[in-house]
Structure formats: structure tokens, C-alpha cells
Amino acid sequence: MRTCAPVAEDPLPPGAWARSARHRLAGRPTSGDVPSPMALYLGFDLGTQGLTAIVIEAGGPVREVVFQRSLSFDETFPQYGTVNGVLPGDDPLVATSSPLLWAEALETMMGLVARESGLDLSRLRAISGSAQQHGSVYLAASATAALAGLDAARPLAPQLAGHLTRARSPIWMDASTGAQCAAITRALGGESAGARLTGSRAALRFTGPQIRKFFEQDPAAYARTDRIHLVSSYLASLLAGAHAPTEPGDGAGMNLMDLARREWAPAALEATAPGLVAKLPALREPWAVVGPLAPYWVRRHGFPPAKVVAWSGDNPCSLVGAGLVAEGAIAISLGTSDTLFGPMREPRTDPARDGHAFGSPDGGYMGLVCCRNGSLARERVRDAYGLDWAGFSESLRSTPAGNRGAVMLPWFEPEITPRALSAGVRRYALDPADGPANVRALVEAQMLALALHSAWMSVEVRTIRATGGAAANNAILQVTADVFGAEVQRLPVGNSACLGSALRAWHADALAEGRPVPWDEVVAGFTEPEAARTVRPIPAHAGVYAELRGAYAACEAHALGHGPHPASRLAAFRERFGG
Ligand code: ADP
Ligand code: XUL
């Protein structure tokens, strides 16, 4: 028997995503031989705007999420001055956050797990995590000893402050590395060659171009840097008290890894910065056990010396947490960024070079498309028309599919997919004063962009699993279902990246104990969508969106300077579907 997880109902009040929740999911028992009944596994997800932790019970006959808690960076740690998780600055292309904030958030959450979960921590066998991809943390050689000798009498963050060679970490929203991307692309023989080697063309937010920029702008600080971590491997290092490796899921988001070989690519390293290989974490398999939890956590917070398993990026972890362990299905994550991803048997790459191929947590590959103007764009439109999420949803319900041919390109910030380097919202046949039409135009554009720019993945989409904060909103998911002509399934655990990291901890623990559990059994009982949470496409809307897709593509092409004004195209659409 299964008891329902309390998934937030549509609409959620703003900020509700950050509340704690307790889920119970009784799933089928595994047939596999498992390490120990009643074992607990802890997973983290360090997103753009906050940190979530989930503890699962697995390995016995019942599978449960027994603890879930989220902290918002802005609200819980106001002393860092972040806005939506980002440090304010003068250059609109630059986006950074604080590695000390992340460390403090990790320690605060570990304290909550230890003191507020009511769990018997002696049952905790392994910990893993997921983090926003591409961001990087720069440490001096002194950090190695500092990590090994963390003083349990003092909080974590101040013990790290003296060992950073770069106080602010560039994050995935940064768009300031155009010159570096161009130079790396030239050195690798063009975008196609770069994408074939690393899985992606040199991309603004990827770690390699960020490292090159750091080397160019502050060569002395680069020289003092002993280790450059991804956000994921940095946080794993704090738990293990030693430098943690990265793995091919998050490693592929750097423009530095040979995707097919799963090794650092010498040509890419050379194109990026001198002496780089010695500064990078080791590349290991995604299920690598980094070591036991450092004595700091044992002494200061009362944890057992559980295994620390390599952390990965939020999108690779979400693949597991959404239950996508075989090619043929995709997930859409509506978080700060909107992403679409799915497993791939082969490392296919996007001929238009907007999409990415990463390693997946099961040792295979995954394809991904990322749009920057996701939740924050939805919040901007919501606020511009004085709405709350209920009003936003009502605007979607009160306007017709296709929006009478009124289109928005919602590039409030420079857009990743399609590449739009300068911010600026474009409206076609859309009256800026018409709130409901603008809400619909925004969400239709977001879904059409994901659909259009993921065609290269060649996945026949029959069902879509929806995750991320905005997946709580049924009206948004109805547009998703209609644009893709596919069922959209909400997952029982909203933060699939976090659940995925807890499941990865379990998988790695079982493997390390010599009793592997197959991936389909790892996800069973945790990730099956429930029929009541499925949003079905409305058949009458299929033709509307088949037609609007072309008209929207014409708007994109025009806005990017590649095509004529789409006025006649939109007029033809209006004539057929104008309403
Ligand atoms: P990340 O992991 O990138 O930090 P989340 O997946 O936690 O982000 O999503 C956070 C976002 O979810 C918020 O910025 C908010 O805009 C959005 N959100 C929360 N509730 C709703 C809702 N009911 N409708 C639409 N969006 C929502
Ligand atoms: C993926 C990407 C974002 C971040 C933040 O390439 O840049 O999805 O991982 O969530």
C-alpha cells in the first residue's frame, strides 16, 4: 500500500518550495541482495537559490523519504547579500555566488539533519549530492591541510575563508566569457570539433572558459590556485575532509573532458590555461566512494563515518530522481533554469550546438537543453502584472492556446538557448499592457524553445516527467503537455535532483559492499508518477502548436538577425487560429 506524498497543490504560494515536508512512499521490495535493512541515505541538492536535503530509507522492504528540508540562501543567510542566490554586481553579464555561503548552508543543513530529523543517524550509510552545474571554486594549496584538519570546535565556513584564491565563484548564469569561448573554439578547430570532443561547444557558463578568464584577468591568483573544484566536488570535499573527484556527469559541463574517453582532454586543457591538469579534481566513476565522512562531522554533529559518494550536477542527478534510467523518456525541470534532458545510448551532439551531451550517473550519456530565462522570468512577468501564482495560473486558463499569434521572446537576461547574448524582451503582435496575454506568451515561448531546441536528441516524446519548483503549477504543465503533445507526469518527490543524489548514495553503497542493485530497482518505489498527477494534452491544441512552432521559430530567427520579420507568418496563424 502506498500513502501519498504531500506534493504542493497548484497554485503554491510564493516561497512554499522552501518549506520542509515529510514524504512516505511505500514501494515494492527489491529482489536484489541489499546491504542492510533500514539503512538511511542522505542526498543534497545545492541549487541556485537554496539547499535541499532528503533522507531516504532503502535497502529494506519499505522505501521512504523520511526527511526533507530546504533552506533559501537569501532568506536564511541574508548576511551574504545574495539576490535569488546571486551576489549583486555592476556587470550584468557576470553572475557569481559565495563558496562560503555554500559551506555555511551545508553545515546548517547537516545540523538540521542531526538535530531535527529525529532519525537514528547510526543507520546512515552514505551521503551524496547534486549541485548547480558549471560553477567553480578556487582553492590554495593550504586548503588540503585545512580540509584534513577541520576543527570540530569551530564552524566550517570561517575555516575555509583563508584558503580561497577567488572569493566569488562564477556560476552557470554568468555570460561574461564570450572572448574566452571564441579563443577556445578557435584552438579546438571550431564549434563542431569542440562539441565532438567535449560534448558541447565552448559555452559561456561552462567552467573551462571561466578558468581561462580568471587566468587572463588575475594570473597571480591563478598561479596561487592549487585546486579548481566544481560546486559539486567542492561540497563533497567539505564532507570528506579531502579533495573529492568529479565524474563524467558534471565533468562534461566544463568543456575540458573528452566525453567518449571520460578523461581530461589535453587539447581542451591547453586551449584553456597553463598547468591546468594539476589543478583539476581527479575524474572518477559516478559511484566512486570518496571516503568516510570527515571527523569534523562526526565530532561536531554526531554523524557516523558514513561513505561520502561523489557528487554530480543537478541535471544528471535529476535523471535518476525522475526515474529515467533507459532511453525513450525525457524530463523537464522548471527550476531557476528550465532544462529538458533524457538518457542517450550514444553521445549524440546538437548540430545547432545549443544542446549538450553529458555523462549520466549510470555510466552512459544524457542530452540536455538549458534555458536561462526560466522561473525568474516567470516571476518577473507575474510581478509586472501584480499577480500571485494563482493569478498567473488563471491568466493561462483564461487565454486561448496559441495566444492569437501573440509571441514573446522572454530574454529578460541573456539567453543560453537559443544563444542571445544581449538581454531584451521581444514582443511580436503582443500588447505589453495585456497581462494575461503576456503570461501565456511567456510560458508558450518557454515550452516552444525547449521543444524546438531538443529535436536533435531524437527522442520520441510520449511522456514527460516534470520536476523543479514550477512543476507544482498545473496550468504551466498544461501548456507543456499541449506544446509537446505528450502526457506530463508530476513526480511524487518534487526535487528530483535531491532524491536522485540520495538514490545515488544508496546505489554506490550497495556496489561498494559487493551487492549491486540494478538501476531500475534503485528508482523503483520512489519515482513512479501517480495517475492523479498526470496532465494530459488537449487534442484540439495539437494543430495549434504544430503551426505555432514554425511561427515562433521565425520570431527567434528574426530576433537573432537570421530571418525576415515574421508579421505575415503570424497574421496567417491568426487567420487560422485567431479566435
Ligand atoms: P533551483 O533548484 O534552481 O534553485 P527550484 O527547482 O527550487 O530552483 O525552483 C524554484 C522556483 O520555483 C522559484 O524561483 C519559483 O519561481 C518557482 N515556483 C515555486 N512555486 C511555483 C508555482 N506555484 N508556480 C510557478 N513557479 C513556482
Ligand atoms: C545546465 C545549467 C543549469 C544549472 C543550474 O547546463 O546550466 O541547469 O545546472 O541548475
Side-chain angles (χ1 to χ4, degrees):
M1 194 184 128
R2 169 176 289 203
T3 38
C4 270
V7 162
E9 282 313 312
D10 174 35
L12 269 188
W17 67 281
R19 288 207 216 108
S20 65
R22 191 175 170 97
H23 298 269
R24 288 199 154 252
L25 296 172
R28 67 184 163 95
T30 53
S31 61
D33 191 6
V34 287
S36 114
M38 311 289 283
L40 298 178
Y41 297 95
L42 169 57
F44 286 101
D45 172 43
L46 187 120
T48 313
Q49 304 188 57
L51 176 69
T52 300
I54 281 179
V55 179
I56 59 169
E57 187 174 297
V62 173
R63 291 151 177 234
E64 290 186 289
V65 172
V66 291
F67 175 81
Q68 178 168 344
R69 184 77 189 253
S70 294
L71 299 172
S72 149
F73 295 143
D74 296 2
E75 285 166 23
T76 315
F77 308 98
Q79 64 275 26
Y80 290 90
T82 53
V83 178
N84 296 319
V86 183
L87 291 169
D90 296 336
D91 184 343
L93 293 182
V94 169
T96 61
S97 191
S98 164
L100 297 183
L101 159 62
W102 296 333
E104 188 167 342
L106 181 69
E107 170 148 43
T108 303
M109 188 63 91
M110 286 289 274
L112 291 174
V113 173
R115 283 179 278 282
E116 288 192 7
S117 67
L119 296 167
D120 169 9
L121 286 185
S122 68
R123 290 159 49 203
L124 183 70
R125 294 191 53 87
I127 305 177
S128 190
S130 115
Q132 50 172 297
Q133 298 196 251
H134 318 297
S136 41
V137 179
Y138 299 72
L139 297 173
S142 57
T144 306
L147 285 172
L150 288 170
D151 176 1
R154 293 163 55 215
L156 179 65
Q159 299 189 56
L160 304 168
H163 307 289
L164 294 166
T165 57
R166 195 176 184 180
R168 292 178 165 220
S169 285
I171 63 164
W172 68 275
M173 295 163 115
D174 190 283
S176 68
T177 59
Q180 291 74 24
C181 287
I184 291 170
T185 301
R186 266 194 310 278
L188 291 180
E191 287 196 342
S192 300
R196 271 198 305 277
L197 179 66
T198 70
S200 304
R201 67 180 160 77
L204 296 173
R205 67 197 192 286
F206 276 40
T207 326
Q210 297 291 347
I211 293 172
R212 184 175 166 126
K213 182 180 155 198
F214 182 52
F215 162 67
E216 286 174 0
Q217 295 190 341
D218 196 347
Y222 177 78
R224 279 200 312 280
T225 303
D226 175 67
R227 196 62 57 106
I228 303 174
H229 276 295
L230 286 166
V231 183
S232 55
S233 59
Y234 164 67
L235 293 166
S237 304
L238 300 185
L239 291 177
H243 289 298
T246 187
E247 47 66 66
D250 223 12
M254 301 176 84
N255 282 140
L256 295 174
M257 192 188 81
D258 180 327
L259 184 65
R261 290 171 182 269
R262 290 154 190 265
E263 293 166 0
W264 297 126
L269 299 177
E270 206 171 303
T272 301
L276 184 51
V277 73
K279 299 181 196 285
L280 294 177
L283 264 169
R284 297 272 310 277
E285 58 282 5
W287 44 84
V289 175
V290 182
L293 205 52
Y296 178 82
W297 303 103
V298 176
R299 293 193 197 120
R300 188 171 168 85
H301 294 289
F303 280 87
K307 295 182 182 76
V308 177
V309 174
W311 286 39
S312 184
D314 49 5
N315 294 293
C317 288
S318 226
L319 199 69
V320 172
L324 301 184
V325 293
E327 188 171 286
I330 60 160
I332 286 183
S333 170
L334 303 173
T336 309
S337 60
D338 284 352
T339 60
L340 180 153
F341 50 87
M344 293 195 302
R345 267 187 295 273
E346 309 289 327
R348 286 189 289 275
T349 51
D350 176 11
R353 307 282 163 243
D354 285 323
H356 310 287
F358 296 154
S360 63
D362 66 355
Y365 298 95
M366 64 183 284
L368 174 129
V369 170
C370 175
C371 295
R372 174 173 175 181
N373 288 287
S375 278
L376 298 182
R378 287 186 285 275
E379 286 178 19
R380 278 170 92 145
V381 170
R382 179 197 67 187
D383 296 345
Y385 297 99
L387 303 168
D388 54 13
W389 286 127
F392 189 93
S393 304
E394 187 44 40
S395 297
L396 288 172
R397 293 197 189 98
S398 67
T399 44
N403 212 22
R404 303 184 178 92
V407 173
M408 177 194 288
L409 301 180
W411 302 335
F412 291 93
E413 302 294 340
E415 182 47 70
I416 293 169
T417 310
R419 252 178 290 181
L421 296 182
S422 36
V425 175
R426 277 76 158 176
R427 289 181 172 81
Y428 292 90
L430 175 63
D431 176 1
D434 184 344
N438 277 266
V439 169
R440 176 162 282 280
L442 164 72
V443 177
E444 288 189 342
Q446 291 175 318
M447 297 309 153
L448 286 162
L450 286 174
L452 201 63
H453 298 289
S454 61
W456 64 274
M457 286 166 57
S458 310
V459 177
E460 198 193 319
V461 182
R462 279 185 296 274
T463 56
I464 297 170
R465 298 203 167 175
T467 177
N473 189 315
N474 267 343
I476 294 175
L477 297 191
Q478 186 64 58
V479 179
T480 313
D482 289 348
V483 165
F484 283 85
E487 278 191 359
V488 178
Q489 304 169 328
R490 279 212 305 218
L491 294 160
V493 178
N495 187 329
S496 58
C498 196
L499 174 64
S501 63
L503 292 171
R504 289 181 54 246
W506 172 30
H507 168 266
D509 178 48
L511 197 63
E513 298 295 321
R515 291 181 285 248
V517 183
W519 279 105
D520 57 345
E521 289 200 10
V522 170
V523 302
F526 284 107
T527 61
E528 289 85 356
E530 289 171 5
R533 296 200 178 108
T534 296
V535 179
R536 294 190 172 76
I538 297 169
H541 294 172
V544 177
Y545 286 114
E547 191 64 28
L548 189 63
R549 194 183 284 222
Y552 167 83
C555 294
E556 265 193 7
H558 173 259
L560 296 171
H562 306 145
H565 195 283
S568 55
R569 186 99 201 229
L570 292 172
F573 177 87
R574 241 184 335 273
E575 210 154 285
R576 259 186 89 189
F577 300 106

